[in-house]
Amino acid sequence: MRLALLFVLVLGVACSSSNRPLGPGEPDASGPEDSGSRPDGGAPEDDGGTREDGGSTDDGGTPEDGGTGEEDAGSCEPPPSVRETILVPGLNTPRRLAVDATDLYISESHSLKPEQVDGEGQLLRLPRAGGDVVSVAKGFIAPDAIAVDAKNIYVLDQVGLWRVNKATGERGTVPIESSVNNVTVGGTEVLATRLNGRDVVVVATGARRLVRVDTVGATPSSVVLFEGEPGTQVRGARVDGMNVWFLVTGGGEPGLYRAALDESTPPQRVDPSITSGTSLELTPTHFLITEGSGGSGRVLKVSRAGGDQARVLAEGLQGPLFPVELNGVVYFKESVASGSDFLRRVRGCPPGVTDAVGPPGTGPGGLIVDGNTLLYTSQESGTRGAVGRVP
């Protein structure tokens, strides 16, 4: 398994705090274990108003953000750095993010040690209208990917998938699905969506399975949408209508896959050229894919129509994750220890050139698009971790 825990327990750079309210309407100034998650981006039955890591499928090329669906092909000069706003300083290994219409949710891990028994991880909530960050629920073991729907927060940790009531913070004594655990392997996703009028959650386990969990009731049921051979990993997933797109690494048949959310058709490998994928994003016309690590990492752009060779947007990376598109520009997180290179964007030309966006931090952490804003975590340990906004 090439994804190490190198990126989480490192010395970070302490950021100055400015606890402003979130500003989804402000104009855009425009490693690896984590992978972003968010619900179905525009499916007819999508819960609406909720987004998680990686933005939504309307990122870039939609009327909302004014994008073109293509990265900027303009100036070859490096863009100016962007001044960030620190929303929540003083965190211990913040990991993933999710947003709804009123709040920003954060999984704070405290530790990624797989052998721990009693966890100090927690879920935090920051009101979008301004105010202090508060703890919603505590006692998780290395909480990682999270998602939200109208009533609940779903968080994946070392012992399984938990359902937490948004209003009260209540959760059961056991996870609603315990087969999806061992999250410290990386590449996990939790995606909240709807199927036939009911709430469901899709989980990319980081292990060999893609699982759909029907969350209604005291004892939710689960269905395995895909199970690879021993040694394979399902890493990165996105829901689009009745399709779940995901990446499979290891084993004899790695690649980009598609499965039916309602199990109406068998899973299908649609692109065998993606052999070491780590995270995935959808735009209206393309897949954005990160793959590789240790100096051989790449960011790829693949046509959803098929037939074209993957375009390499960036290469020579330590562990890229969370490619997102905002206002026609592709951003991603790099798995580096304490520096200004952990949040990067692809320059329009010359091909393959990327630039640091501005804020210092430790990657990968999380990255999502929220309106015309990027929200990110810098996952230093101790009290050096932070959640910030660009611009």
Side-chain angles (χ1 to χ4, degrees), residues 95-113:
R95 295 282 283 171
R96 310 291 289 279
L97 301 169
V99 295
D100 62 16
T102 59
D103 297 288
L104 167 66
Y105 298 89
I106 306 156
S107 63
E108 184 187 22
S109 179
H110 280 247
S111 175
L112 289 177
K113 296 178 180 179

Side-chain angles (χ1 to χ4, degrees), residues 68-127:
T68 62
E70 297 290 336
E71 68 271 14
D72 182 11
S75 174
C76 293
E77 296 299 319
S81 294
V82 177
R83 186 172 182 83
E84 76 281 4
T85 297
I86 301 300
L87 300 173
V88 186
L91 299 179
N92 187 345
T93 319
R95 295 282 283 171
R96 310 291 289 279
L97 301 169
V99 295
D100 62 16
T102 59
D103 297 288
L104 167 66
Y105 298 89
I106 306 156
S107 63
E108 184 187 22
S109 179
H110 280 247
S111 175
L112 289 177
K113 296 178 180 179
E115 70 274 10
Q116 64 181 319
V117 176
D118 298 317
E120 297 180 344
Q122 60 180 335
L123 291 179
L124 303 173
R125 177 171 58 215
L126 178 69

Side-chain angles (χ1 to χ4, degrees), residues 27-30 79-85 331 345 356-360 389-391:
D28 179 56
S30 335
S81 294
V82 177
R83 186 172 182 83
E84 76 281 4
T85 297
Y331 298 80
R345 63 187 156 201
V357 172
R389 181 185 69 214
V390 175

Side-chain angles (χ1 to χ4, degrees), residues 51-340:
R51 292 184 301 276
E52 296 95 49
D53 280 6
S56 63
T57 52
D58 59 6
D59 291 346
T62 67
E64 285 83 354
D65 63 24
T68 62
E70 297 290 336
E71 68 271 14
D72 182 11
S75 174
C76 293
E77 296 299 319
S81 294
V82 177
R83 186 172 182 83
E84 76 281 4
T85 297
I86 301 300
L87 300 173
V88 186
L91 299 179
N92 187 345
T93 319
R95 295 282 283 171
R96 310 291 289 279
L97 301 169
V99 295
D100 62 16
T102 59
D103 297 288
L104 167 66
Y105 298 89
I106 306 156
S107 63
E108 184 187 22
S109 179
H110 280 247
S111 175
L112 289 177
K113 296 178 180 179
E115 70 274 10
Q116 64 181 319
V117 176
D118 298 317
E120 297 180 344
Q122 60 180 335
L123 291 179
L124 303 173
R125 177 171 58 215
L126 178 69
R128 295 169 69 91
D132 296 330
V133 66
V134 298
S135 178
V136 179
K138 299 181 178 181
F140 298 100
I141 300 178
D144 188 48
I146 57 176
V148 293
D149 63 19
K151 296 180 181 180
N152 299 300
I153 313 163
Y154 304 94
V155 57
L156 188 63
D157 83 348
Q158 186 66 14
V159 297
L161 179 71
W162 297 89
R163 179 180 58 193
V164 179
N165 185 283
K166 277 184 178 180
T168 66
E170 293 179 355
R171 61 184 173 115
T173 57
V174 295
I176 63 172
E177 179 54 54
S178 59
S179 70
V180 289
N181 50 22
N182 194 28
V183 301
T184 57
V185 299
T188 60
E189 298 280 3
V190 178
L191 308 168
T193 187
R194 291 179 64 81
L195 175 65
N196 298 329
R198 66 186 190 273
D199 292 329
V200 299
V201 172
V202 175
V203 182
T205 62
R208 58 193 287 196
R209 292 189 177 104
L210 181 77
V211 177
R212 189 194 75 212
V213 181
D214 293 8
T215 65
V216 177
T219 56
S221 61
S222 63
V223 173
V224 176
L225 298 178
F226 171 85
E227 182 169 8
E229 62 185 61
T232 59
Q233 297 176 345
V234 174
R235 309 183 63 200
R238 287 292 179 258
V239 177
D240 185 17
M242 287 295 102
N243 288 319
V244 184
W245 301 91
F246 59 100
L247 302 168
V248 175
T249 65
E253 295 186 332
L256 171 66
Y257 279 72
R258 178 179 60 211
L261 183 62
D262 61 0
E263 305 173 86
S264 58
T265 58
Q268 177 186 8
R269 183 168 66 157
V270 296
D271 189 339
S273 70
I274 310 300
T275 59
S276 57
T278 54
S279 60
L280 172 68
E281 183 59 279
L282 305 182
T283 78
T285 58
H286 288 82
F287 301 101
L288 299 176
I289 297 171
T290 57
E291 66 172 9
S293 61
S296 62
R298 303 193 300 173
V299 180
L300 305 176
K301 186 173 185 178
V302 181
S303 173
R304 293 180 66 170
D308 296 332
Q309 187 175 7
R311 178 181 174 188
V312 179
L313 300 182
E315 57 187 342
L317 302 169
Q318 293 302 311
L321 281 170
F322 310 139
V324 297
E325 189 173 72
L326 175 64
N327 293 330
V329 179
V330 175
Y331 298 80
F332 63 94
K333 292 290 289 293
E334 172 70 308
S335 298
V336 297
S338 186
S340 61

